[in-house]
Amino acid sequence: MFNLDSITRTNIKKLTPYSSARDEFSGEAKVFLDANENSLGSPLIKWYNRYPDPHQHLIKQKLSAIKGIASEHIFLGNGSDECIDLLFRCFCEPGKDNVIICPPTYGMYEVSANINDVEVRKATLLEDFQLDLVHLENLVNEHTKLIWLCSPNNPTGNSLNRADIETVLNNFNGIVVVDEAYINFAKQKSLVQELEEYPNLVVLQTLSKAWGLAGLRLGMAFASTAIIELMNKVKPPYNIGQATQELVLQALEEVGQVNDMIKILVDMRGALAGVFESMPTVEKVYPSDANFILVKIKDARKVYEFLLTKGIVLRDRSNVKLCEDCLRITVGTEQENTVLVDAMQDWFALQTK
Ligand SMILES: Cc1ncc(COP(=O)(O)O)c(C=O)c1O
């Protein structure tokens, strides 16, 4: 049986969190002289001299309505990258505990583990980029605190089988983190509605992809209230800046516009995949549920370098296990995609000379 208390780090359980000025007084007042801010203002037209809401109530209210999840189940981080780091710090004893990742996958799980001195065990995906459940189960021991699943997965682009994710959730007594950074581009449903069913589930999402707000840095974790409370205890007091909070609130009014962008990006993903499939040395275009495609192509590194000379930057994944000879291509604007396809024609022309 999953028992949150038994897998939480002792120092975090005992921790008295920082109590900010805004925690100690959050009502209306005439004069705020409690936070050592600069009362004269900011050297900007709009002032940012006051600390922001440490708990981002307005954003959570809005997200709660959009996602159909109560605010108490939402944690906001400075990008999902902050949520990733906080999960290590809440649950993993440095030098003692371990986590399982399923490569090829998003690189920050391993980097965050290394920063926190936490052992990383790798259950490499199968050839079809699905979970190797047998290997995964064999890696679990009494010190395994987190299993990281990324669906749709970066850099492979596919969604993990829902039944496999549920098998992991049902059989692991630690936390299962499902990173859904690319979920808006997928046919699969998010797991956020399953929090009641799985007390050990943490779902990560971000405004950096479909919402087009990577520069603002806003990541979301959805989990049981108990897990959210732990993350709140450990986070820096004012982790989401005032400007980000204001702009995110504005953006969250525009769900329709975001849905339109998602539709366009998904259509262009299909078109781009089709064009690459018909190219001479392309061995495979992997099916994608994300806003990028993974393409296996002869001489991937050379193609990458050639495109660089044309001012086009792709992500070279050719030295990543299972992604040998693969380039990851983010879907661009129609014009950017055309520039890329034209440059590829130049590359093929050079090969036949
Ligand atoms: C799977 C995955 N998770 C998380 C992130 C980071 O998201 P954020 O910008 O919210 O830190 C990325 C960014 O590329 C990603 O691919």
Side-chain angles (χ1 to χ4, degrees), residues 2 4 26 30 67 82-83 108-109 111 120 123 132 152-153 191 226 236 244-245 258 279 288 290 344 347:
F2 175 72
L4 184 65
S26 60
K30 265 198 277 188
K67 306 268 175 194
E82 184 179 34
C83 304
M108 276 309 287
Y109 313 140
V111 173
V120 175
D132 184 344
N153 187 38
L191 278 155
T244 293
Q245 294 200 31
V258 173
M279 286 177 183
S288 172
M344 288 300 297
W347 164 259

Side-chain angles (χ1 to χ4, degrees), residues 79-81 106 109 150 154 179 181-182 206 208-209 217-219:
S80 336
D81 286 340
Y106 181 49
Y109 313 140
C150 186
N154 175 10
D179 186 343
Y182 300 97
T206 176
S208 297
K209 310 295 175 184
R217 312 304 301 128
L218 198 103

Side-chain angles (χ1 to χ4, degrees), residues 16-17 73 76 78 84 127 136 143 150 154 160 179 185 229 274:
T16 308
H73 291 286
L76 300 180
N78 192 261
I84 294 170
E127 287 283 316
L136 208 154
H143 295 299
C150 186
N154 175 10
L160 300 177
D179 186 343
F185 305 105
E229 276 166 22

